[in-house]
Amino acid sequence: MIWQFDIIILTLVIVSALSALRIRDLLGSAIIFGVYSFLMCLLWAGMGAVDVAFTEATVGAGISTVLILATVLHTKRRTKD
Amino acid sequence: MSLLKEFKVLAFLVVLVTGAVLVYAIGDFPDWGDPISPASEHVSSYYIENAIHDTAVPNIVTALLADYRGFDTMFETVVVFVAGIAVLFMLRRPKRESEVSMDVSGSPIVKTATRIMVPMMQLFALYIVAHGHHSPGGGFQGGVILGASLILMAIAFGLPSALKKISNKATVMLSALGVLIFSGIGILCMFLGGNFLDYSVLSAILPGTDRVMARSHAMLGVEIGVALTVMTAMFSIYADLASEGQLDQGL
């Protein structure tokens, strides 16, 4: 792995994790969660675990986001805390 | 209110201390790719050296998941199947009575893009399933992409028109069929005198294969089973979540 990419991706992972927790809009939170999964996928791919990266991209960034979105659209978009 | 705030501070302190302990423990981890770390000392060297001779499958990850630890993967498939069934049982309700069924299909741009993309996605997913033992991929990833193509159809054209293509009954049946294919191949091995999921004995009924190639072909078989279950379970979960278990309209 190239350590410069490592640092950038890990920083973005932490930023997206914190903002997915802090953001008030649940729709935005779901999308940022997908971004988080995709960054993790890049990390796996960088470490040579291509199968894990593939699973993370399809299941984590793809289907999970869609399922969370489908649920969020049936609730209120704004969270109270 | 102040009590709640004190609890929040206390919880934050606990999280902080736990995090500090975890970060401290990182120092004891072996380096990334360390050849003499405990994880790579025992069985993994056997797999790396012998997987290609044992199974004729170049992708060691697939050889591990579908063959050496096939029992584990079979029950992972069962977990996906049970998850789909559980969501169905929790959310499915009788139809709403008097509500007008809305046509909530997308704009022409979305529809046209979907029409172009869905065949590509499905072809790519089939490639991933069929080529999973030679390149990265396999039943789970290919099945998820197949499920995603169905979900894309449901989003663009509305859930009812997607359910016309693959009905709810067919979804559940195919989901069960996937598990049946996986465990059926396992039981077939027992009938031929081997252990459960011991694919090499299948060479007796697969024409023109030796004991090594039989394992490779059987892996393709179980991957197809996994892909069927995952595809239909994902679509079924989406359909129930998006329509609150009514199956009458999408998002």
Side-chain angles (χ1 to χ4, degrees):
Chain A
M1 279 185 99
I2 306 162
W3 67 268
Q4 290 93 338
F5 278 130
D6 231 6
I7 298 289
I8 294 171
I9 294 173
L10 283 172
T11 315
L12 286 175
V13 163
I14 293 172
V15 168
S16 57
L18 285 178
S19 49
L21 283 176
R22 292 301 302 173
I23 201 165
R24 293 285 175 127
D25 188 354
L26 285 176
L27 197 63
S29 183
I31 290 167
I32 292 172
F33 201 57
V35 172
Y36 172 88
S37 284
F38 194 71
L39 290 169
M40 286 307 291
C41 158
L42 288 181
L43 278 181
W44 298 127
M47 284 192 275
V50 193
D51 278 87
V52 184
F54 209 154
T55 313
E56 182 75 42
T58 50
V59 178
I63 287 288
S64 303
T65 311
V66 173
L67 292 184
I68 294 173
L69 282 183
T71 315
V72 165
L73 289 183
H74 283 290
T75 59
K76 290 191 180 118
R77 268 179 69 174
R78 301 267 152 191
T79 168
K80 285 212 174 90
D81 59 359
Chain B
M1 189 60 207
S2 67
L3 197 66
L4 188 69
K5 219 164 200 175
E6 274 169 27
F7 271 124
K8 269 189 176 171
V9 172
L10 204 65
F12 181 68
L13 280 177
V14 170
V15 168
L16 211 64
V17 170
T18 315
V21 171
L22 287 175
V23 169
Y24 175 71
I26 287 177
D28 287 341
F29 273 21
D31 283 340
W32 173 63
D34 188 0
I36 54 163
S37 70
S40 16
E41 266 182 347
H42 300 290
V43 284
S44 65
S45 55
Y46 173 83
Y47 294 139
I48 291 167
E49 283 164 19
N50 297 313
I52 186 83
H53 307 298
D54 282 355
T55 63
V57 167
N59 185 2
I60 301 172
V61 178
T62 306
L64 254 176
L65 288 179
D67 188 313
Y68 293 109
R69 297 187 187 169
F71 200 61
D72 193 73
T73 310
M74 193 186 92
F75 281 101
E76 271 174 39
T77 315
V78 173
V79 165
V80 173
F81 171 66
V82 169
I85 295 290
V87 170
L88 191 149
F89 271 114
M90 280 196 289
L91 290 182
R92 194 62 58 81
R93 285 180 295 172
K95 292 253 184 233
R96 296 174 190 135
E97 293 94 26
S98 58
E99 234 168 288
V100 193
S101 178
M102 285 183 292
D103 182 29
V104 281
S105 48
S107 71
I109 297 173
V110 176
K111 280 183 181 173
T112 312
T114 304
R115 236 178 242 126
I116 298 170
M117 273 177 72
V118 165
M120 304 275 183
M121 285 171 74
Q122 288 178 344
L123 198 62
F124 183 56
L126 289 177
Y127 157 73
I128 289 170
V129 175
H131 211 251
H133 40 310
H134 289 267
S135 60
F140 279 98
Q141 293 95 328
V144 166
I145 295 177
L146 278 174
S149 73
L150 294 178
I151 291 173
L152 186 64
M153 248 171 16
I155 289 175
F157 298 103
L159 193 56
S161 59
L163 282 172
K164 259 178 222 151
K165 296 262 195 296
I166 175 165
S167 75
N168 176 50
K169 200 171 176 182
T171 308
V172 179
M173 295 289 245
L174 282 176
S175 198
L177 180 69
V179 179
L180 190 69
I181 289 176
F182 204 139
S183 50
I185 289 177
I187 290 171
L188 198 60
C189 297
M190 289 172 83
F191 276 123
L192 292 169
N195 286 322
F196 187 63
L197 292 172
D198 177 13
Y199 306 138
S200 55
V201 294
L202 289 174
S203 59
I205 52 166
L206 291 171
T209 52
D210 52 4
R211 293 175 71 85
V212 174
M213 276 314 285
R215 291 175 81 161
S216 176
H217 292 322
M219 262 184 246
L220 176 63
V222 299
E223 296 281 8
I224 290 170
V226 172
L228 271 179
T229 299
V230 172
M231 167 183 89
T232 47
M234 291 302 146
F235 181 61
S236 165
I237 291 174
Y238 167 79
D240 281 329
L241 283 178
S243 66
E244 295 180 5
Q246 311 272 332
L247 298 184
D248 53 353
Q249 61 190 49
L251 286 178

